[in-house]
Amino acid sequence: MEQTSIPGVDREVFERVWRRVMPVERGDCPFTLPAEGEAAVEETALTVPAAEARIVTLGQADEGHDIQCLGPASAAYGASLQGYIDDELSDWRSYQALARRTPGGGGRALAAIAADERRHAKKLSTAYFLISGVRYWPEVRSSQTAAPLHAALRERFWAEQRGAAAYQAAAAETADPCLKELFSELAGEEEAHVWTIRGVLEQL
């Protein structure tokens, strides 16, 4: 079996502790120490099977850069994810305000879009956390617009199309398969919002 030395280990301390807990050498133990009085050879005397070296060597955490799905290798998308989260939370508040201004079934339809936008933000925030280990969820105040209802809905109609296009472009560019799937899903839902808003306008 291939052997490898353990870097960063204080040999004297290790031997003193090891002989206290293992006074008698065992054949099934992966560690080998020289007998008392033998000359120590620093680079070979203290060894462990190479397959187990990463378990024994403390302080060398797996950085996860070989993880293709929402791992540290996708950190380059962090700023974009923050921007998308900000946008989705802002949209959530905007649709909540519009729902209160819209009568009947149109108001309920806009409230459903608001719930979708918050759910989008949660999904994006989860992806950001899995990649970075940091939870990103900024505070967003209630959004109010002075524009007439029809004009505000027209702006949202355009905004949803721009959002769908942005997610489609992000899905095409990312190498992370999980982000690609997420962006494609969000693009489809933003496109659905476009037609919902058109239907609300037709009812007013």
Side-chain angles (χ1 to χ4, degrees), residues 138-162:
E139 292 291 333
V140 179
R141 296 181 179 179
S142 180
S143 177
Q144 298 285 345
T145 176
L149 180 59
H150 283 73
L153 290 174
R154 180 172 181 251
E155 175 56 36
R156 297 315 310 165
F157 181 78
W158 292 344
E160 292 293 336
Q161 293 183 64
R162 289 193 295 267

Side-chain angles (χ1 to χ4, degrees), residues 51-136:
E52 302 174 27
R54 60 177 295 180
I55 299 175
V56 176
T57 305
L58 303 179
Q60 294 185 353
D62 185 356
E63 297 296 334
H65 289 286
D66 58 338
I67 302 299
Q68 296 182 354
C69 176
L70 302 180
S74 298
Y77 307 112
S80 295
L81 285 170
Q82 287 185 346
Y84 293 141
I85 294 167
D86 292 344
D87 290 345
E88 295 289 358
L89 289 175
S90 178
D91 291 348
W92 166 45
R93 292 299 194 184
S94 294
Y95 281 113
Q96 283 184 321
L98 287 172
R100 289 190 289 269
R101 297 173 57 191
T102 307
R108 290 189 293 273
L110 294 175
I113 294 180
D116 284 348
E117 304 291 22
R118 187 177 189 278
R119 181 169 49 82
H120 294 176
K122 293 287 285 185
K123 288 188 173 187
L124 292 161
S125 181
T126 298
Y128 184 87
F129 173 76
L130 290 172
I131 292 170
S132 68
V134 176
R135 186 173 184 272
Y136 183 75

Side-chain angles (χ1 to χ4, degrees), residues 15-55:
E15 287 192 30
R16 184 168 62 253
V17 173
W18 185 252
R19 292 195 187 280
R20 184 182 306 163
V21 299
M22 186 67 69
V24 178
E25 295 289 346
R26 291 172 44 186
D28 61 347
C29 178
F31 295 97
T32 60
L33 293 175
E36 294 289 352
E38 288 184 1
V41 181
E42 184 174 353
E43 64 273 16
T44 61
L46 180 58
T47 58
V48 65
E52 302 174 27
R54 60 177 295 180
I55 299 175

